[in-house]
Amino acid sequence: MLHLRLITPADTTDEAVRLIERTTGTAHLAVVPGAARAPRGDVVMCDVAREAADGLLDDLRALGLDRTGSIAVENIDLSLSERADRAEQDAPGEAADAVLWEQLTDATHEESTLSATYVAFITLATMIAACGVVLDNAILIVGAMAVGPEFGPLAGFCTALVRRAPRLALRALIALLVGFAAAMAATVGFSYFMDAMNLFSDDALRAERPNTNFIYRPDWFSFVVAVLAGAAGTLSLTSAKSGALVGVAISVTTVPAAANAAVAFSYAEYKQAWGSTEQLLLNLLGIVLAGTATLLVQKALWAGQRRRAAKAERG
């Protein structure tokens, strides 16, 4: 269940309440007239089943409450209420399949912001991966994958394509390009420093490296895994399964490929650098294609579910 807290202008409150009462899957409606001060208006609260929330939010935005008042949504971790149980049973579809598009857009907008923290995380992840490729250490590679924050902008780009939001797409693309460019440039400098300290060497990079040589040898399996990971990552975001997202992060060779390319470039190993760059681009392409396709399928399925539910209510 989700909890909605609205601030509504007095002349809009009755219509907002009617929308809530008309929506199958709502419970615990409360209205506090004149309680809001900034902006002035009434406070309306209710609980709504996750699978009914997206349609209700669309209707409330159509009233202009996002401009004249406020719409806040919170997750309810525990609700001991028979009314809430009935609301969830009556709402069409399953909560795990529901997509809150406004919530997804807001979350990916934040994750797609080019911030100092984002650049720091992707740079540190790339440096950890650089140590992993030189040492041929798979544990360090997995750790770098888990630290890397690049799936946020990728998910933001997919969401922007589906929702036709050019500003979000541009923001996500800038975060990806600038983030990886800064991380790879810093890792080149890091590689020079480690070489000066006799911790990195050209011989270690040129060695067979059975645990990590896949990073600069892209093949169709790389693309297949990226596609599967992109679909899984998108599903984890839309269903709020953060644990699954961690698994996705350690499934795709993006940060390690960027790291291998940077280290190889510092040693003028351009064949490895190009192979790693191909691996990076192949993974990014696979994730974007799969993520976008997954969102489009979810959008179509849920739209059909809502149409069937509306038809059943009229009939």
Side-chain angles (χ1 to χ4, degrees):
M1 292 289 286
L2 301 173
H3 179 69
L4 266 63
R5 185 182 69 254
L6 314 176
I7 295 179
T8 65
D11 59 350
T12 312
T13 300
D14 289 342
E15 182 61 25
V17 169
R18 280 194 293 271
L19 284 174
I20 294 170
E21 291 176 334
R22 197 166 61 229
T23 300
T24 302
T26 59
H28 310 145
L29 175 61
V31 180
V32 187
R37 292 293 180 268
R40 288 191 174 277
D42 305 326
V43 174
V44 179
M45 295 171 286
C46 73
D47 297 338
V48 59
R50 181 182 176 87
E51 52 270 42
D54 192 60
L56 179 57
L57 289 175
D58 286 345
D59 293 338
L60 292 172
R61 290 196 66 186
L63 285 180
L65 292 186
D66 54 329
R67 300 185 303 274
T68 61
S70 170
I71 303 173
V73 183
E74 300 172 337
N75 284 307
I76 299 177
D77 294 327
L78 177 63
S79 178
L80 302 177
S81 167
E82 290 185 1
R83 286 181 177 272
D85 294 339
R86 284 200 302 271
E88 288 190 308
Q89 292 171 4
D90 293 341
E94 296 294 332
D97 297 332
V99 180
L100 294 179
W101 291 101
E102 294 297 336
Q103 184 183 56
L104 179 63
T105 302
D106 185 68
T108 54
H109 182 279
E110 181 179 348
E111 293 294 327
S112 302
T113 301
L114 182 63
S115 63
T117 300
Y118 169 80
V119 174
F121 267 117
I122 197 169
T123 300
L124 291 171
T126 306
M127 288 179 177
I128 293 171
C131 295
V133 298
V134 172
L135 295 174
D136 192 33
N137 189 316
I139 295 176
L140 290 177
I141 295 297
V142 171
M145 290 175 172
V147 172
E150 74 281 4
F151 192 81
L154 287 168
F157 190 72
C158 296
T159 303
L161 292 179
V162 173
R163 303 215 70 187
R164 299 178 183 179
R167 288 187 179 181
L168 177 58
L170 181 61
R171 176 187 291 265
L173 191 59
I174 289 174
L176 278 173
L177 295 178
V178 176
F180 271 115
M184 292 173 74
T187 303
V188 170
F190 177 69
S191 179
Y192 287 139
F193 171 77
M194 295 293 279
D195 181 77
M197 299 293 292
N198 293 320
L199 295 174
F200 280 11
S201 69
D202 194 7
D203 290 339
L205 185 69
R206 290 181 177 180
E208 182 59 27
R209 289 163 48 198
N211 293 320
T212 58
N213 61 25
F214 68 93
I215 295 172
Y216 59 87
R217 295 175 179 173
D219 53 24
W220 278 108
F221 275 108
S222 302
F223 184 72
V224 170
V225 171
V227 167
L228 296 176
T234 303
L235 286 173
S236 72
L237 283 177
T238 57
S239 60
K241 301 292 185 182
S242 59
L245 191 58
V246 175
V248 170
I250 60 176
S251 299
V252 289
T253 318
T254 48
V255 164
N260 201 94
V263 176
F265 183 83
S266 71
Y267 284 109
E269 294 289 340
Y270 299 123
K271 185 176 180 180
Q272 268 201 47
W274 176 243
S276 302
T277 303
E278 285 185 328
Q279 180 79 272
L280 173 61
L281 296 175
L282 197 63
N283 275 266
L284 294 177
L285 176 63
I287 292 172
V288 168
L289 290 177
T292 303
T294 301
L295 289 175
L296 286 172
V297 170
Q298 287 183 291
K299 185 177 182 179
L301 290 176
W302 199 249
Q305 179 70 50
R306 288 176 60 181
R307 284 196 299 269
R308 289 191 293 270
K311 185 177 179 180
E313 287 183 2
R314 290 195 301 267

